[in-house]
């Protein structure tokens, strides 16, 4: 089956010229996409997009994939829902102009077609190719000043928190919510009402609008809270036992199996045996990898700082500093360390033939595989070093570490060998006679001063030297560009996730990053320097 390709005209019509003329101050991206859509969706990229469809000829004839891809970009730019985006193709002249359907009185596509295309895009990882294509097109522009630096890119990596779209609930509401999903599923299988299932399964708490309303206790009184929990657990047990009697075959089949698994996961993570009175109680400490939402099972607790918490995900981006382009991005649950995101970012950069010459990161990424890879290639890693934590006593920085001989010397002259990743303890007798002992350590007389040698001690020593010089600190500040990229993405997407789950939010991040790259491409082409090159007239205006 041959899929129709999108071949919009390149020449501007009179109506399009009038529309663009009115968008000199606002909505300039519409005009830019109209002028450069043929470069972004060239023949080779359209052929790639066509691979998302079967070649059997079965089913409905697909709409031109490139046109649908452009529609998803416009949807991300406008922040529109699927239904709104369909209507915009009818009454928004800017959208009609970019999609080449000016004057049409019928929608360019249906809501179902847009949703289906998004699923195909995600399933085939073509959202990643869309981001890569924005990088390729921008780098291919002579006006961009690209100097064939793929062998020595200057890349910065950073992250930002993203609040999840799922509802975050306490233990009582989580268990009640999960039980309602089970009951609703059973009601669908038996073709009866949920009220009937609740009564027959012995869980009347779910007949009320909320579990806490049904329990109706003084939640400030610990004894009543504990008794309420026992009532809830007894009814949950009754529900599970009833299911085993009435629907033994469906227990292992989807979708019921998935809902029961969620219920058991929540019970396991939030409850523990009560050592005082038997039964169970709410877990005293937060369980590792605790699920916080029924509707979005991949959301997790996270920390922006020691005092600021959030629930959801982390967005990670890798930005090329020379051209302000986002070259790779990914999303992880909020509780995962930053280092776990770098293999995916590194793999995406390698797909594009990119090699990092200088890597700018914060300390959260210091133990990531990408750091090892850059150092192995004799590249440079720029990051703030770990600060010495020793109170008012002599810091680690006054000890002389010789990385060649693997020895460390204290201010009193005692020298010992060391290995990376170990703790070195100086001789207690020598330390006891040292006049600096009171300023150096508070250890007991039978112990000497201890110094922890990091696994990456050689890197840490280089970073300490870097941060001590004005030139080194100026280089470290260059990482602020990736923070600006994240700020732009936050403005575009907001602080709350649009979708549920890691993969769909990765798609949304890649779409936003693609739009960000297109705007960077636009700014460079419209800069005074580039305009002067095109016209041959020198410009005295500074390049922004």
């Amino acid at each position: 089956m041959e899929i129709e390709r999108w071949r919009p005209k390149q020449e501007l019509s009179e109506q399009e010229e009038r529309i663009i003329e009115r968008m000199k101050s606002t909505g300039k991206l519409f005009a830019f996409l109209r002028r450069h859509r043929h470069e972004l969706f060239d023949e080779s990229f359209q052929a790639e997009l066509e691979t998302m469809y079967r070649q059997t000829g079965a089913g409905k004839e697909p709409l031109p994939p490139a046109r649908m891809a452009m529609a998803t970009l416009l949807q991300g730019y406008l922040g529109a829902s699927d239904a709104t985006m369909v209507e915009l193709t009818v009454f928004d002249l800017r959208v009609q102009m970019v999609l080449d359907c000016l004057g049409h009185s019928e929608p360019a596509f249906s809501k179902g077609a847009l949703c289906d295309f998004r699923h195909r895009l995600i399933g085939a990882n073509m959202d990643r190719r869309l981001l890569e294509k924005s990088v390729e097109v921008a780098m291919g522009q002579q006006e961009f000043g690209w100097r064939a630096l793929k062998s020595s890119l200057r890349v910065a990596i950073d992250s930002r928190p993203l609040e999840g779209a799922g509802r975050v609930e306490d233990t009582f509401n989580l268990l009640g919510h999960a039980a309602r999903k089970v009951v609703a599923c059973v009601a669908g299988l038996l073709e009866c009402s949920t009220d009937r299932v609740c009564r027959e399964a012995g869980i009347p708490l779910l007949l009320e609008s909320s579990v806490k309303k049904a329990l109706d206790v003084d939640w400030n009184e610990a004894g009543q809270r504990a008794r309420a929990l026992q009532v809830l657990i007894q009814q949950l047990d009754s529900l599970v036992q009833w299911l085993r009697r009435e629907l033994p075959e469906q227990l292992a089949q989807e979708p019921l199996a998935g809902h029961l698994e969620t219920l058991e996961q929540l019970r396991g993570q939030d409850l523990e045996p009560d050592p005082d009175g038997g039964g169970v109680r709410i877990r005293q400490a937060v369980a590792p990898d605790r699920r916080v939402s029924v509707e979005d099972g991949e959301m997790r607790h996270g920390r922006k700082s020691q005092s600021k918490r959030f629930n959801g995900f982390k967005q990670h981006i890798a930005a090329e500093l020379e051209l302000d382009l986002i070259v790779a991005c990914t999303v992880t649950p909020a509780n995962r360390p930053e280092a776990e995101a770098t293999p995916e970012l590194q793999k995406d950069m390698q797909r594009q033939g990119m090699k990092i010459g200088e890597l700018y990161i914060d300390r959260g990424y210091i133990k990531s595989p990408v750091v090892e890879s850059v150092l192995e290639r004799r590249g440079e890693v720029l990051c703030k070093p770990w600060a010495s934590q020793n109170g008012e006593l002599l810091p680690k920085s006054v000890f002389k570490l010789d990385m060649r001989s693997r020895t460390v010397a204290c201010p009193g002259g005692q020298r010992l060998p060391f290995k990376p990743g170990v703790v070195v303890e100086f001789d207690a007798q020598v330390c006891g006679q040292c006049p600096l002992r009171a300023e150096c350590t508070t250890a007991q007389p039978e112990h000497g001063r201890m110094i922890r040698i990091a696994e990456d001690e050689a890197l840490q020593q280089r970073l300490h030297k870097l941060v001590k010089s004005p030139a080194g600190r100026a280089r470290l500040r260059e990482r602020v560009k990736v923070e600006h990229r994240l700020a732009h993405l936050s403005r575009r997407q907001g602080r709350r996730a649009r979708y549920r789950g890691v993969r769909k939010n990765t798609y949304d991040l890649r779409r936003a990053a693609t739009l960000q790259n297109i705007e960077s491409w636009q700014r460079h082409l419209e800069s005074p320097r580039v305009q002067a090159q095109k016209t041959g007239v020198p410009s005295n205006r500074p390049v922004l």
Side-chain angles (χ1 to χ4, degrees), residues 169 171 174 269-270 286-292 299-301:
E169 300 170 297
T171 298
L174 274 177
Q269 71 176 21
D270 280 9
V286 178
D289 204 35
R290 180 178 184 266
R291 180 170 179 167
V292 299
M299 286 174 54
R300 292 295 182 267
H301 293 301

Side-chain angles (χ1 to χ4, degrees), residues 237 265 267 512 522:
D237 290 339
Q265 178 188 5
R267 290 184 63 166
Q522 178 185 13

Side-chain angles (χ1 to χ4, degrees), residues 421-525:
V422 302
V423 176
V424 175
E425 182 176 354
F426 288 89
D427 186 88
Q429 292 184 352
V430 178
C431 283
Q433 299 173 6
C434 179
L436 298 175
R437 179 180 173 88
E439 303 174 37
C440 188
T441 182
T442 57
Q444 296 296 319
E446 62 271 17
H447 293 286
R449 171 67 186 266
M450 290 187 291
I451 294 292
R452 183 179 297 277
I453 307 298
E455 289 280 359
D456 59 348
E457 190 64 47
L459 172 60
Q460 291 295 324
Q461 292 299 311
R462 288 200 294 270
L463 295 179
H464 276 291
K465 291 180 181 178
L466 184 72
V467 78
K468 288 180 180 179
S469 67
R473 292 192 292 272
R475 294 187 66 193
L476 288 173
R477 285 194 294 271
E478 293 184 43
R479 195 181 70 88
V480 73
K481 291 183 179 180
V482 72
E483 295 176 351
H484 292 165
R485 298 295 94 196
L486 284 172
H488 286 304
L489 290 174
S490 179
R491 175 187 57 80
R492 186 183 302 282
Q493 292 184 287
R495 297 184 178 182
R496 188 175 179 85
R498 182 186 180 106
Y499 300 103
R500 294 170 182 164
V502 168
R503 184 60 187 90
K504 285 187 178 180
N505 281 303
T506 299
Y507 153 78
D508 196 40
L509 176 59
R510 286 170 173 167
R511 176 173 62 178
T514 300
L515 289 166
Q516 203 62 44
N517 287 345
I518 292 173
E519 288 189 340
S520 293
W521 174 21
Q522 178 185 13
R523 281 197 304 275
H524 279 273
L525 292 183

Side-chain angles (χ1 to χ4, degrees), residues 217-225:
V217 298
D218 182 359
W219 297 102
N220 294 319
E221 206 278 305
Q224 293 191 41
R225 268 201 323 271

